[in-house]
Amino acid sequence: MADYKAPLKDLEFVLYDMLDYEQHYASLPGCEEANRELITAIVEEAAKFCENVLAPLNAVGDEHGCDWQDGVVTTPPGFKEAYQQFVEGGWPSINHSVDYGGQGLPESVGTIISEMTGAANWAWSMYPGLSHGAMNTLAQHGTDEQKSVYLTKLVEGSWTGTMCLTEAHCGTDLGMLKTRAEPQDDGSYRIQGSKIFISAGDHDLAENIVHIVLARLPDAPEGTKGISLFIVPKYLPAEDGSVGERNAVTCGSIEHKMGIHGNATCVLNFDDATGYLIGPPNRGLHCMFTFMNTARLGTALQGLAHAEVGYQKSLSYAKERLQMRALSGPKNPSGPADPIIVHPDVRRMLLTQKAFAEGGRMLIHYCSQLVDIEQLSDDAGRKTEAADLLAFLTPIAKAFLTETGFEAANHALQCFGGHGYIREWGVEQNVRDARIAMLYEGTTGIQALDLLGRKVLMSQGELLKRFTKVVHKFCKANEDNEQLAEFVQPLAKLNNQWGEITMHIGLSAMENQEEVGAAAVDYLMYSGYAVYAYLWARAAKTAMEHEAAEGAFYRAKVKTARFYFKRLLPRTESLVVAMKSGAGNLLDFEDSEF
Ligand SMILES: Cc1cc2nc3c(=O)[nH]c(=O)nc-3n(C[C@H](O)[C@H](O)[C@H](O)COP(=O)(O)OP(=O)(O)OC[C@H]3O[C@@H](n4cnc5c(N)ncnc54)[C@H](O)[C@@H]3O)c2cc1C
């Protein structure tokens, strides 16, 4: 069984048939070169690298894990060589500025490639993934000199990046962080403190590592308003830009963890390490949001990756594994039993994975289109609309894709029966690797508070309305389309209910603010199902209107949309009941009554 096959046909459907990427690139300044022919060639080349180089290393990374000896971290066998090939292929530079050695393609092209590297080998893909966030942060907030020293090396891939927020006593609540930064006469800072759980924090893939670190200046205000952002390189850059003296940042240990064993999760000790301020003092969290937004969409991709891989593996197993007969009589009379794909319950599990994986792909590349518009459009109105939609959709994408990605990975394992629990098939690794995605980059609970509290209620519902207007427009335009009625009618109803339930929570919250926290995760999940309903309705329309609509691929799209609407979307009904039940049933407990 192949470890991973890049879903090129489905990517083509989402990018070109559904989201019209050709027109999208044609409408944006600076994207003249991003024509379909070029993008297809790039994607096909990346697919080969992912299938042939990265995917075979996925189980190797899990088995071997990373090694830490006397402060030196070694990645699993083959990881370093794969990274060298990645750099030689020019992949790190694909969507970065030509001014710093990049190829100048839009962000969305990088996302297409990241979907494939992530699905082929998530743990490996985190090394370039974190560099990408560091590059975006430097590009947006760094000085010209910082860009020329650090960004060029990151774009080239000879240096990688990290993001250092978490400390032992603070993960979610960054306002409590203690790492200090003392200004020096030469304009640099001495960084003192310890960070934990730093992904790709140390390794042997690249000659240098650029840590992007949150720390406090002396006399900084308490809480999140007193945090600044620093570059702390593992090796200080020499005069000629090459790797110079070793800086005082060391890896104290690596974590032994449930999954993603191929990625080194490090304790990093900063013992008066030399650092350089990025952006204005005390505005570090604001600057770090650039990194965190990139990373939130990057983590959403992880949900898609595990759903896709689990689906591929369990589908091919379900076609081959012979057990029992179909209830309606044998489907494989010449064999000793029928393949398990004949059983309705196995189909339920396969189709749930398919609906989540393909729905996730639509949401990722839809968001990625919004990123391009926000970054590149010269039309102020279009830019603002894209930024608003993206602000609303980012927490949904991060949490809903990772929650459903984990559910999908679990269904994949279940399709294998007891064999799924055994290592050799790789589906138990997929479940273990998937679990972290709901935790890092802000847990599901925190994404939910961001969505309901910050984005929806604090904007008086404006950001929600931005999106429900898009849905409303789609429903209106297709209200007379009889073929689409089975999708458009429930979608229109749901769109109205979304506003009503938001209003209900908003009013309850005026009485008791705890109502927001009590409803938040159910609200986020409800929103995720609603966003997928819009995307699946669009997918069904696109498939029905396609010139090859009679082909199996397009028929399957419509049938998957139907499955989604009939079997998964009704979950919103129980979410509404839970949300309306209010905070009382959670808060009525005294601590001693637990
Ligand atoms: C493998 C791995 C890799 C990581 N990589 C990085 C990295 O590269 N860089 C980095 O800086 N960090 C990294 N992290 C840290 C990660 O981002 C944090 O673990 C995460 O943000 C949660 O923080 P915490 O673990 O301290 O949990 P806590 O903040 O202690 O939260 C515990 C629980 O309480 C809930 N909770 C907390 N506050 C609230 C609230 N106000 N309302 C509702 N619920 C709440 C949380 O949702 C969670 O369920 C990584 C972690 C792991 C395990």
Side-chain angles (χ1 to χ4, degrees), residues 126 130 163-173 196-200 257 260 265 436 439-446 449:
M126 286 173 73
L130 282 145
M163 121 189 219
C164 302
L165 292 77
T166 306
E167 299 176 7
H169 58 283
C170 73
T172 302
D173 193 352
I196 66 162
F197 292 166
I198 304 308
S199 297
K257 53 194 194 291
I260 57 165
T265 308
I436 183 61
L439 293 163
Y440 54 21
E441 287 323 313
T443 59
T444 299
I446 296 308
L449 283 178

PDB file of all heavy atoms in Angstrom, residues 126 130 163-173 196-200 257 260 265 436 439-446 449, ligand 1:
ATOM      1  N   MET A 126       7.084  20.125   9.758  1.00  0.00           N
ATOM      2  CA  MET A 126       7.075  21.215  10.743  1.00  0.00           C
ATOM      3  C   MET A 126       8.367  22.035  10.703  1.00  0.00           C
ATOM      4  O   MET A 126       8.366  23.210  11.066  1.00  0.00           O
ATOM      5  CB  MET A 126       6.875  20.648  12.146  1.00  0.00           C
ATOM      6  CG  MET A 126       5.441  20.186  12.403  1.00  0.00           C
ATOM      7  SD  MET A 126       5.310  19.354  13.988  1.00  0.00           S
ATOM      8  CE  MET A 126       5.444  20.734  15.127  1.00  0.00           C
ATOM      9  N   LEU A 130       7.739  25.976  10.394  1.00  0.00           N
ATOM     10  CA  LEU A 130       8.055  27.025  11.371  1.00  0.00           C
ATOM     11  C   LEU A 130       8.930  28.101  10.748  1.00  0.00           C
ATOM     12  O   LEU A 130       8.797  29.286  11.056  1.00  0.00           O
ATOM     13  CB  LEU A 130       8.692  26.415  12.615  1.00  0.00           C
ATOM     14  CG  LEU A 130       7.583  25.787  13.484  1.00  0.00           C
ATOM     15  CD1 LEU A 130       8.037  24.553  14.189  1.00  0.00           C
ATOM     16  CD2 LEU A 130       7.015  26.796  14.453  1.00  0.00           C
ATOM     17  N   MET A 163       9.418  29.379  16.797  1.00  0.00           N
ATOM     18  CA  MET A 163       8.583  30.373  17.471  1.00  0.00           C
ATOM     19  C   MET A 163       8.577  30.035  18.956  1.00  0.00           C
ATOM     20  O   MET A 163       8.172  28.953  19.366  1.00  0.00           O
ATOM     21  CB  MET A 163       7.221  30.327  16.800  1.00  0.00           C
ATOM     22  CG  MET A 163       6.028  30.021  17.563  1.00  0.00           C
ATOM     23  SD  MET A 163       4.666  29.801  16.370  1.00  0.00           S
ATOM     24  CE  MET A 163       3.378  30.593  17.267  1.00  0.00           C
ATOM     25  N   CYS A 164       9.114  30.966  19.773  1.00  0.00           N
ATOM     26  CA  CYS A 164       9.326  30.676  21.196  1.00  0.00           C
ATOM     27  C   CYS A 164       8.419  31.539  22.065  1.00  0.00           C
ATOM     28  O   CYS A 164       8.775  32.672  22.416  1.00  0.00           O
ATOM     29  CB  CYS A 164      10.777  30.945  21.570  1.00  0.00           C
ATOM     30  SG  CYS A 164      11.965  29.986  20.621  1.00  0.00           S
ATOM     31  N   LEU A 165       7.270  30.981  22.415  1.00  0.00           N
ATOM     32  CA  LEU A 165       6.330  31.685  23.285  1.00  0.00           C
ATOM     33  C   LEU A 165       6.260  31.016  24.658  1.00  0.00           C
ATOM     34  O   LEU A 165       6.391  31.665  25.685  1.00  0.00           O
ATOM     35  CB  LEU A 165       4.910  31.651  22.681  1.00  0.00           C
ATOM     36  CG  LEU A 165       4.591  32.411  21.418  1.00  0.00           C
ATOM     37  CD1 LEU A 165       5.108  31.702  20.190  1.00  0.00           C
ATOM     38  CD2 LEU A 165       3.106  32.601  21.274  1.00  0.00           C
ATOM     39  N   THR A 166       6.031  29.696  24.648  1.00  0.00           N
ATOM     40  CA  THR A 166       5.608  28.974  25.849  1.00  0.00           C
ATOM     41  C   THR A 166       6.703  28.874  26.908  1.00  0.00           C
ATOM     42  O   THR A 166       7.870  28.627  26.584  1.00  0.00           O
ATOM     43  CB  THR A 166       5.137  27.566  25.437  1.00  0.00           C
ATOM     44  OG1 THR A 166       4.145  27.708  24.430  1.00  0.00           O
ATOM     45  CG2 THR A 166       4.559  26.795  26.609  1.00  0.00           C
ATOM     46  N   GLU A 167       6.304  29.054  28.170  1.00  0.00           N
ATOM     47  CA  GLU A 167       7.186  28.803  29.321  1.00  0.00           C
ATOM     48  C   GLU A 167       6.464  27.835  30.245  1.00  0.00           C
ATOM     49  O   GLU A 167       5.244  27.630  30.099  1.00  0.00           O
ATOM     50  CB  GLU A 167       7.516  30.132  30.019  1.00  0.00           C
ATOM     51  CG  GLU A 167       8.246  31.080  29.075  1.00  0.00           C
ATOM     52  CD  GLU A 167       8.534  32.456  29.666  1.00  0.00           C
ATOM     53  OE1 GLU A 167       8.282  32.666  30.871  1.00  0.00           O
ATOM     54  OE2 GLU A 167       8.993  33.319  28.905  1.00  0.00           O
ATOM     55  N   ALA A 168       7.190  27.261  31.186  1.00  0.00           N
ATOM     56  CA  ALA A 168       6.598  26.183  31.997  1.00  0.00           C
ATOM     57  C   ALA A 168       5.301  26.617  32.678  1.00  0.00           C
ATOM     58  O   ALA A 168       4.343  25.866  32.746  1.00  0.00           O
ATOM     59  CB  ALA A 168       7.613  25.710  33.028  1.00  0.00           C
ATOM     60  N   HIS A 169       5.262  27.853  33.151  1.00  0.00           N
ATOM     61  CA  HIS A 169       4.089  28.308  33.902  1.00  0.00           C
ATOM     62  C   HIS A 169       3.079  29.025  33.011  1.00  0.00           C
ATOM     63  O   HIS A 169       2.052  29.486  33.488  1.00  0.00           O
ATOM     64  CB  HIS A 169       4.540  29.265  35.019  1.00  0.00           C
ATOM     65  CG  HIS A 169       5.274  30.433  34.436  1.00  0.00           C
ATOM     66  ND1 HIS A 169       6.569  30.328  34.012  1.00  0.00           N
ATOM     67  CD2 HIS A 169       4.862  31.674  34.138  1.00  0.00           C
ATOM     68  CE1 HIS A 169       6.928  31.490  33.492  1.00  0.00           C
ATOM     69  NE2 HIS A 169       5.920  32.306  33.558  1.00  0.00           N
ATOM     70  N   CYS A 170       3.379  29.184  31.724  1.00  0.00           N
ATOM     71  CA  CYS A 170       2.396  29.875  30.866  1.00  0.00           C
ATOM     72  C   CYS A 170       2.409  29.370  29.428  1.00  0.00           C
ATOM     73  O   CYS A 170       3.440  29.357  28.767  1.00  0.00           O
ATOM     74  CB  CYS A 170       2.559  31.390  30.926  1.00  0.00           C
ATOM     75  SG  CYS A 170       3.961  32.078  30.090  1.00  0.00           S
ATOM     76  N   GLY A 171       1.223  28.907  29.017  1.00  0.00           N
ATOM     77  CA  GLY A 171       1.030  28.483  27.628  1.00  0.00           C
ATOM     78  C   GLY A 171      -0.040  29.356  27.006  1.00  0.00           C
ATOM     79  O   GLY A 171       0.230  30.219  26.166  1.00  0.00           O
ATOM     80  N   THR A 172      -1.266  29.186  27.491  1.00  0.00           N
ATOM     81  CA  THR A 172      -2.367  30.007  26.985  1.00  0.00           C
ATOM     82  C   THR A 172      -2.211  31.460  27.430  1.00  0.00           C
ATOM     83  O   THR A 172      -2.403  32.390  26.645  1.00  0.00           O
ATOM     84  CB  THR A 172      -3.715  29.458  27.533  1.00  0.00           C
ATOM     85  OG1 THR A 172      -3.843  28.108  27.124  1.00  0.00           O
ATOM     86  CG2 THR A 172      -4.883  30.267  27.047  1.00  0.00           C
ATOM     87  N   ASP A 173      -1.820  31.642  28.706  1.00  0.00           N
ATOM     88  CA  ASP A 173      -1.811  32.976  29.310  1.00  0.00           C
ATOM     89  C   ASP A 173      -0.425  33.612  29.188  1.00  0.00           C
ATOM     90  O   ASP A 173       0.341  33.666  30.151  1.00  0.00           O
ATOM     91  CB  ASP A 173      -2.215  32.821  30.785  1.00  0.00           C
ATOM     92  CG  ASP A 173      -2.551  34.159  31.411  1.00  0.00           C
ATOM     93  OD1 ASP A 173      -2.320  35.198  30.756  1.00  0.00           O
ATOM     94  OD2 ASP A 173      -3.045  34.154  32.552  1.00  0.00           O
ATOM     95  N   ILE A 196       9.742  26.311  26.876  1.00  0.00           N
ATOM     96  CA  ILE A 196       9.520  24.859  26.737  1.00  0.00           C
ATOM     97  C   ILE A 196       8.652  24.580  25.508  1.00  0.00           C
ATOM     98  O   ILE A 196       8.021  25.492  24.973  1.00  0.00           O
ATOM     99  CB  ILE A 196       8.864  24.233  27.983  1.00  0.00           C
ATOM    100  CG1 ILE A 196       7.430  24.756  28.185  1.00  0.00           C
ATOM    101  CG2 ILE A 196       9.690  24.500  29.236  1.00  0.00           C
ATOM    102  CD1 ILE A 196       6.589  23.883  29.108  1.00  0.00           C
ATOM    103  N   PHE A 197       8.662  23.306  25.107  1.00  0.00           N
ATOM    104  CA  PHE A 197       7.797  22.828  24.008  1.00  0.00           C
ATOM    105  C   PHE A 197       8.097  23.528  22.685  1.00  0.00           C
ATOM    106  O   PHE A 197       7.164  23.820  21.923  1.00  0.00           O
ATOM    107  CB  PHE A 197       6.304  23.066  24.342  1.00  0.00           C
ATOM    108  CG  PHE A 197       5.747  22.246  25.474  1.00  0.00           C
ATOM    109  CD1 PHE A 197       4.517  22.576  26.042  1.00  0.00           C
ATOM    110  CD2 PHE A 197       6.407  21.135  25.965  1.00  0.00           C
ATOM    111  CE1 PHE A 197       3.966  21.823  27.070  1.00  0.00           C
ATOM    112  CE2 PHE A 197       5.867  20.373  26.998  1.00  0.00           C
ATOM    113  CZ  PHE A 197       4.640  20.721  27.553  1.00  0.00           C
ATOM    114  N   ILE A 198       9.357  23.858  22.415  1.00  0.00           N
ATOM    115  CA  ILE A 198       9.645  24.599  21.187  1.00  0.00           C
ATOM    116  C   ILE A 198       9.874  23.623  20.027  1.00  0.00           C
ATOM    117  O   ILE A 198      10.865  22.890  19.984  1.00  0.00           O
ATOM    118  CB  ILE A 198      10.849  25.550  21.376  1.00  0.00           C
ATOM    119  CG1 ILE A 198      10.583  26.490  22.563  1.00  0.00           C
ATOM    120  CG2 ILE A 198      11.134  26.341  20.091  1.00  0.00           C
ATOM    121  CD1 ILE A 198       9.258  27.247  22.529  1.00  0.00           C
ATOM    122  N   SER A 199       8.920  23.634  19.097  1.00  0.00           N
ATOM    123  CA  SER A 199       8.978  22.728  17.948  1.00  0.00           C
ATOM    124  C   SER A 199      10.147  23.104  17.057  1.00  0.00           C
ATOM    125  O   SER A 199      10.382  24.294  16.816  1.00  0.00           O
ATOM    126  CB  SER A 199       7.697  22.840  17.126  1.00  0.00           C
ATOM    127  OG  SER A 199       6.600  22.434  17.886  1.00  0.00           O
ATOM    128  N   ALA A 200      10.853  22.092  16.574  1.00  0.00           N
ATOM    129  CA  ALA A 200      11.999  22.298  15.684  1.00  0.00           C
ATOM    130  C   ALA A 200      13.046  23.185  16.357  1.00  0.00           C
ATOM    131  O   ALA A 200      13.819  23.868  15.691  1.00  0.00           O
ATOM    132  CB  ALA A 200      11.560  22.918  14.352  1.00  0.00           C
ATOM    133  N   LYS A 257       7.066  12.168  23.635  1.00  0.00           N
ATOM    134  CA  LYS A 257       5.656  12.548  23.505  1.00  0.00           C
ATOM    135  C   LYS A 257       4.824  11.529  22.737  1.00  0.00           C
ATOM    136  O   LYS A 257       5.350  10.573  22.178  1.00  0.00           O
ATOM    137  CB  LYS A 257       5.557  13.936  22.878  1.00  0.00           C
ATOM    138  CG  LYS A 257       6.297  14.122  21.574  1.00  0.00           C
ATOM    139  CD  LYS A 257       6.408  15.609  21.252  1.00  0.00           C
ATOM    140  CE  LYS A 257       6.837  15.868  19.822  1.00  0.00           C
ATOM    141  NZ  LYS A 257       8.234  15.489  19.530  1.00  0.00           N
ATOM    142  N   ILE A 260       4.142  12.810  16.617  1.00  0.00           N
ATOM    143  CA  ILE A 260       5.110  13.651  15.892  1.00  0.00           C
ATOM    144  C   ILE A 260       6.541  13.468  16.444  1.00  0.00           C
ATOM    145  O   ILE A 260       7.253  14.437  16.713  1.00  0.00           O
ATOM    146  CB  ILE A 260       4.674  15.138  15.811  1.00  0.00           C
ATOM    147  CG1 ILE A 260       4.422  15.786  17.169  1.00  0.00           C
ATOM    148  CG2 ILE A 260       3.470  15.313  14.914  1.00  0.00           C
ATOM    149  CD1 ILE A 260       4.357  17.344  17.112  1.00  0.00           C
ATOM    150  N   THR A 265      10.827  18.525  19.995  1.00  0.00           N
ATOM    151  CA  THR A 265      10.125  19.489  20.855  1.00  0.00           C
ATOM    152  C   THR A 265      11.064  19.802  22.015  1.00  0.00           C
ATOM    153  O   THR A 265      11.308  18.956  22.869  1.00  0.00           O
ATOM    154  CB  THR A 265       8.808  18.866  21.384  1.00  0.00           C
ATOM    155  OG1 THR A 265       8.063  18.364  20.276  1.00  0.00           O
ATOM    156  CG2 THR A 265       7.978  19.882  22.132  1.00  0.00           C
ATOM    157  N   ILE A 436      -2.057  16.262  18.627  1.00  0.00           N
ATOM    158  CA  ILE A 436      -1.449  17.520  19.082  1.00  0.00           C
ATOM    159  C   ILE A 436      -2.101  18.746  18.436  1.00  0.00           C
ATOM    160  O   ILE A 436      -2.120  19.835  19.010  1.00  0.00           O
ATOM    161  CB  ILE A 436       0.089  17.535  18.800  1.00  0.00           C
ATOM    162  CG1 ILE A 436       0.762  18.806  19.333  1.00  0.00           C
ATOM    163  CG2 ILE A 436       0.393  17.387  17.320  1.00  0.00           C
ATOM    164  CD1 ILE A 436       0.645  19.010  20.804  1.00  0.00           C
ATOM    165  N   LEU A 439      -4.206  21.063  20.275  1.00  0.00           N
ATOM    166  CA  LEU A 439      -3.607  21.681  21.464  1.00  0.00           C
ATOM    167  C   LEU A 439      -2.723  22.880  21.140  1.00  0.00           C
ATOM    168  O   LEU A 439      -2.882  23.955  21.719  1.00  0.00           O
ATOM    169  CB  LEU A 439      -2.769  20.631  22.216  1.00  0.00           C
ATOM    170  CG  LEU A 439      -3.582  19.501  22.850  1.00  0.00           C
ATOM    171  CD1 LEU A 439      -2.687  18.327  23.206  1.00  0.00           C
ATOM    172  CD2 LEU A 439      -4.294  20.006  24.080  1.00  0.00           C
ATOM    173  N   TYR A 440      -1.753  22.668  20.223  1.00  0.00           N
ATOM    174  CA  TYR A 440      -0.825  23.802  20.017  1.00  0.00           C
ATOM    175  C   TYR A 440      -1.432  24.854  19.083  1.00  0.00           C
ATOM    176  O   TYR A 440      -2.464  24.626  18.487  1.00  0.00           O
ATOM    177  CB  TYR A 440       0.580  23.371  19.604  1.00  0.00           C
ATOM    178  CG  TYR A 440       0.801  22.474  18.403  1.00  0.00           C
ATOM    179  CD1 TYR A 440      -0.118  22.323  17.386  1.00  0.00           C
ATOM    180  CD2 TYR A 440       2.015  21.791  18.277  1.00  0.00           C
ATOM    181  CE1 TYR A 440       0.143  21.518  16.290  1.00  0.00           C
ATOM    182  CE2 TYR A 440       2.288  20.976  17.187  1.00  0.00           C
ATOM    183  CZ  TYR A 440       1.338  20.844  16.197  1.00  0.00           C
ATOM    184  OH  TYR A 440       1.599  20.065  15.117  1.00  0.00           O
ATOM    185  N   GLU A 441      -0.787  25.994  19.052  1.00  0.00           N
ATOM    186  CA  GLU A 441      -1.332  27.163  18.321  1.00  0.00           C
ATOM    187  C   GLU A 441      -2.664  27.616  18.900  1.00  0.00           C
ATOM    188  O   GLU A 441      -3.523  28.124  18.181  1.00  0.00           O
ATOM    189  CB  GLU A 441      -1.517  26.851  16.831  1.00  0.00           C
ATOM    190  CG  GLU A 441      -0.252  26.763  16.038  1.00  0.00           C
ATOM    191  CD  GLU A 441       0.735  27.770  16.505  1.00  0.00           C
ATOM    192  OE1 GLU A 441       0.341  28.937  16.682  1.00  0.00           O
ATOM    193  OE2 GLU A 441       1.895  27.408  16.724  1.00  0.00           O
ATOM    194  N   GLY A 442      -2.838  27.432  20.203  1.00  0.00           N
ATOM    195  CA  GLY A 442      -4.105  27.786  20.837  1.00  0.00           C
ATOM    196  C   GLY A 442      -5.038  26.590  20.780  1.00  0.00           C
ATOM    197  O   GLY A 442      -5.377  26.103  19.693  1.00  0.00           O
ATOM    198  N   THR A 443      -5.453  26.118  21.954  1.00  0.00           N
ATOM    199  CA  THR A 443      -6.337  24.947  22.021  1.00  0.00           C
ATOM    200  C   THR A 443      -7.681  25.264  21.356  1.00  0.00           C
ATOM    201  O   THR A 443      -7.990  26.434  21.078  1.00  0.00           O
ATOM    202  CB  THR A 443      -6.609  24.604  23.496  1.00  0.00           C
ATOM    203  OG1 THR A 443      -7.218  25.759  24.098  1.00  0.00           O
ATOM    204  CG2 THR A 443      -5.336  24.246  24.248  1.00  0.00           C
ATOM    205  N   THR A 444      -8.470  24.212  21.173  1.00  0.00           N
ATOM    206  CA  THR A 444      -9.812  24.415  20.591  1.00  0.00           C
ATOM    207  C   THR A 444     -10.614  25.399  21.451  1.00  0.00           C
ATOM    208  O   THR A 444     -11.307  26.279  20.923  1.00  0.00           O
ATOM    209  CB  THR A 444     -10.546  23.057  20.506  1.00  0.00           C
ATOM    210  OG1 THR A 444      -9.767  22.212  19.661  1.00  0.00           O
ATOM    211  CG2 THR A 444     -11.943  23.208  19.940  1.00  0.00           C
ATOM    212  N   GLY A 445     -10.492  25.264  22.770  1.00  0.00           N
ATOM    213  CA  GLY A 445     -11.227  26.170  23.661  1.00  0.00           C
ATOM    214  C   GLY A 445     -10.838  27.626  23.438  1.00  0.00           C
ATOM    215  O   GLY A 445     -11.689  28.528  23.477  1.00  0.00           O
ATOM    216  N   ILE A 446      -9.563  27.847  23.193  1.00  0.00           N
ATOM    217  CA  ILE A 446      -9.083  29.232  23.017  1.00  0.00           C
ATOM    218  C   ILE A 446      -9.480  29.777  21.630  1.00  0.00           C
ATOM    219  O   ILE A 446      -9.858  30.944  21.494  1.00  0.00           O
ATOM    220  CB  ILE A 446      -7.548  29.275  23.249  1.00  0.00           C
ATOM    221  CG1 ILE A 446      -7.229  28.898  24.704  1.00  0.00           C
ATOM    222  CG2 ILE A 446      -6.955  30.633  22.887  1.00  0.00           C
ATOM    223  CD1 ILE A 446      -7.990  29.677  25.768  1.00  0.00           C
ATOM    224  N   LEU A 449     -13.051  30.835  21.986  1.00  0.00           N
ATOM    225  CA  LEU A 449     -13.236  32.139  22.647  1.00  0.00           C
ATOM    226  C   LEU A 449     -12.870  33.278  21.694  1.00  0.00           C
ATOM    227  O   LEU A 449     -13.515  34.328  21.687  1.00  0.00           O
ATOM    228  CB  LEU A 449     -12.357  32.229  23.894  1.00  0.00           C
ATOM    229  CG  LEU A 449     -12.840  31.475  25.126  1.00  0.00           C
ATOM    230  CD1 LEU A 449     -11.825  31.628  26.254  1.00  0.00           C
ATOM    231  CD2 LEU A 449     -14.211  31.977  25.581  1.00  0.00           C
TER     232      LEU A 449
HETATM  233  C1  LIG B   1       4.321  18.974  20.846  1.00  0.00           C
HETATM  234  C2  LIG B   1       4.149  20.419  21.175  1.00  0.00           C
HETATM  235  C3  LIG B   1       4.707  21.392  20.369  1.00  0.00           C
HETATM  236  C4  LIG B   1       4.595  22.740  20.702  1.00  0.00           C
HETATM  237  N1  LIG B   1       5.219  23.694  19.937  1.00  0.00           N
HETATM  238  C5  LIG B   1       5.312  24.964  20.410  1.00  0.00           C
HETATM  239  C6  LIG B   1       6.158  25.927  19.782  1.00  0.00           C
HETATM  240  O1  LIG B   1       6.780  25.650  18.751  1.00  0.00           O
HETATM  241  N2  LIG B   1       6.272  27.156  20.338  1.00  0.00           N
HETATM  242  C7  LIG B   1       5.602  27.501  21.468  1.00  0.00           C
HETATM  243  O2  LIG B   1       5.752  28.618  21.913  1.00  0.00           O
HETATM  244  N3  LIG B   1       4.771  26.627  22.076  1.00  0.00           N
HETATM  245  C8  LIG B   1       4.620  25.361  21.588  1.00  0.00           C
HETATM  246  N4  LIG B   1       3.811  24.455  22.211  1.00  0.00           N
HETATM  247  C9  LIG B   1       3.028  24.881  23.363  1.00  0.00           C
HETATM  248  C10 LIG B   1       1.533  24.944  23.078  1.00  0.00           C
HETATM  249  O3  LIG B   1       1.250  25.997  22.198  1.00  0.00           O
HETATM  250  C11 LIG B   1       0.823  25.024  24.432  1.00  0.00           C
HETATM  251  O4  LIG B   1       0.938  23.750  25.037  1.00  0.00           O
HETATM  252  C12 LIG B   1      -0.624  25.434  24.290  1.00  0.00           C
HETATM  253  O5  LIG B   1      -0.702  26.775  23.900  1.00  0.00           O
HETATM  254  C13 LIG B   1      -1.420  25.265  25.576  1.00  0.00           C
HETATM  255  O6  LIG B   1      -0.741  25.794  26.682  1.00  0.00           O
HETATM  256  P1  LIG B   1      -0.524  24.894  27.982  1.00  0.00           P
HETATM  257  O7  LIG B   1      -0.004  23.586  27.539  1.00  0.00           O
HETATM  258  O8  LIG B   1       0.275  25.669  28.951  1.00  0.00           O
HETATM  259  O9  LIG B   1      -1.986  24.657  28.538  1.00  0.00           O
HETATM  260  P2  LIG B   1      -2.769  25.617  29.555  1.00  0.00           P
HETATM  261  O10 LIG B   1      -2.668  27.017  29.081  1.00  0.00           O
HETATM  262  O11 LIG B   1      -2.357  25.307  30.921  1.00  0.00           O
HETATM  263  O12 LIG B   1      -4.274  25.110  29.320  1.00  0.00           O
HETATM  264  C14 LIG B   1      -4.788  23.909  29.922  1.00  0.00           C
HETATM  265  C15 LIG B   1      -6.260  23.754  29.530  1.00  0.00           C
HETATM  266  O13 LIG B   1      -6.999  24.863  30.045  1.00  0.00           O
HETATM  267  C16 LIG B   1      -7.748  25.470  29.009  1.00  0.00           C
HETATM  268  N5  LIG B   1      -7.833  26.914  29.232  1.00  0.00           N
HETATM  269  C17 LIG B   1      -6.860  27.761  29.614  1.00  0.00           C
HETATM  270  N6  LIG B   1      -7.319  29.005  29.692  1.00  0.00           N
HETATM  271  C18 LIG B   1      -8.623  28.968  29.347  1.00  0.00           C
HETATM  272  C19 LIG B   1      -9.660  29.931  29.206  1.00  0.00           C
HETATM  273  N7  LIG B   1      -9.456  31.230  29.464  1.00  0.00           N
HETATM  274  N8  LIG B   1     -10.893  29.518  28.829  1.00  0.00           N
HETATM  275  C20 LIG B   1     -11.114  28.205  28.531  1.00  0.00           C
HETATM  276  N9  LIG B   1     -10.184  27.263  28.658  1.00  0.00           N
HETATM  277  C21 LIG B   1      -8.953  27.628  29.046  1.00  0.00           C
HETATM  278  C22 LIG B   1      -6.999  25.141  27.733  1.00  0.00           C
HETATM  279  O14 LIG B   1      -7.856  25.177  26.591  1.00  0.00           O
HETATM  280  C23 LIG B   1      -6.503  23.733  28.028  1.00  0.00           C
HETATM  281  O15 LIG B   1      -7.509  22.804  27.719  1.00  0.00           O
HETATM  282  C24 LIG B   1       3.866  23.109  21.857  1.00  0.00           C
HETATM  283  C25 LIG B   1       3.261  22.124  22.656  1.00  0.00           C
HETATM  284  C26 LIG B   1       3.409  20.800  22.348  1.00  0.00           C
HETATM  285  C27 LIG B   1       2.793  19.765  23.256  1.00  0.00           C
END
